[in-house]
Amino acid sequence: MTKRVAILISGGGSNMLRLVESMVGDHPARPVLVASNDPEAGGLKRAAEMGIATAAVDHRPFKGDRPAFEAALSAPLEEAAPDILCLAGFMRVLTPGFVARWQGRMLNIHPSLLPKYKGLNTHARALEAGDAEHGCTVHEVTPELDDGPILGQACLAIAPGDTPESLASRVLTLEHRLYPDVLRRFAQGDRSFHQLS
Ligand code: GAR
């Protein structure tokens, strides 16, 4: 049976777009909702233009009350009844309660080769560490930040002239290939680790 996919974004949503574009033809899943914590997120408009239902729940009025924000976000999510929830540049930390609700069905993409560089500023940290390689990871979401079983990774070699900006751009290109690849496999029930070459 076709799986229903909801995607959470906070910004431009380029990963969201790649996921949506991938869910056609014989793909085992279809997008049912794109939701954001930022009503101005560029990705919301792009999703609506592609005919996908959208929802925005601004986190700011909740003033740090994460459970209350998540309860509000859960209303459109529950209505869309997704089988899989993809975090795609969703920049809010989730409570253990929210994660428990979706655990085993929630994926995240992170711009580093986890377990290295959880959190923010991943590209600058890889450069500062003098790493030879960098990349991105798709993993299942568990209560610990940027933790959880790793489903796929894609790597690149750091070049002598790389800056945080050049790395961000090159890694994003890899993310656009990795996330659709992992989602397709995950929707088919494949939770094994794959290295994208
Ligand atoms: C992506 O690079 C994604 O990996 C990162 O935000 C960017 C969103 O871009 N996510 C995180 O840092 C999560 N901790 P997009 O809105 O164009 O997909």
Side-chain angles (χ1 to χ4, degrees):
M1 217 175 70
T2 307
K3 296 282 197 316
R4 300 168 64 81
V5 175
I7 305 171
L8 297 185
I9 63 169
S10 295
S14 68
N15 277 291
M16 173 278 294
L17 280 176
R18 295 309 173 103
L19 291 176
V20 166
E21 286 166 2
S22 74
M23 286 184 263
V24 292
D26 69 351
H27 196 288
R30 290 292 183 270
V32 294
L33 178 72
V34 172
S36 179
N37 62 299
D38 181 356
E40 303 302 318
L44 284 177
K45 191 165 170 278
R46 293 157 106 179
E49 283 165 1
M50 290 190 293
I52 299 163
T54 62
V57 177
D58 192 340
H59 69 276
R60 287 166 292 196
F62 294 93
K63 299 187 192 305
D65 184 346
R66 291 185 193 277
F69 162 67
E70 290 171 354
L73 181 65
S74 293
L77 267 183
E78 299 290 350
E79 199 182 321
D83 302 296
I84 300 170
L85 185 51
C86 289
L87 308 183
F90 185 67
M91 304 306 277
R92 303 305 300 165
V93 172
L94 298 167
T95 66
F98 186 91
V99 173
R101 172 78 183 85
W102 298 99
Q103 196 159 328
R105 300 184 287 153
M106 180 157 55
L107 306 181
N108 180 45
I109 187 151
H110 184 73
S112 79
L113 295 173
L114 290 174
K116 281 188 161 183
Y117 315 129
K118 298 175 180 182
L120 300 175
N121 304 317
T122 57
H123 310 300
R125 288 156 70 199
L127 281 173
E128 273 160 27
D131 288 356
E133 278 199 324
H134 187 43
C136 51
T137 302
V138 176
H139 64 96
E140 287 185 47
V141 178
T142 54
E144 199 76 28
L145 182 71
D146 298 330
D147 210 75
I150 293 177
L151 301 169
Q153 286 187 318
C155 305
L156 52 71
I158 295 183
D162 264 322
T163 62
E165 292 73 28
S166 71
L167 272 186
S169 158
R170 291 171 61 214
V171 168
L172 192 62
T173 302
L174 284 183
E175 294 182 40
H176 293 162
R177 288 175 51 219
L178 179 68
Y179 212 171
D181 178 73
V182 172
L183 176 61
R184 178 185 272 270
R185 289 189 293 103
F186 190 78
Q188 288 163 340
D190 179 357
R191 293 173 184 225
S192 61
F193 171 78
H194 276 232
Q195 176 80 43
L196 199 73
S197 53

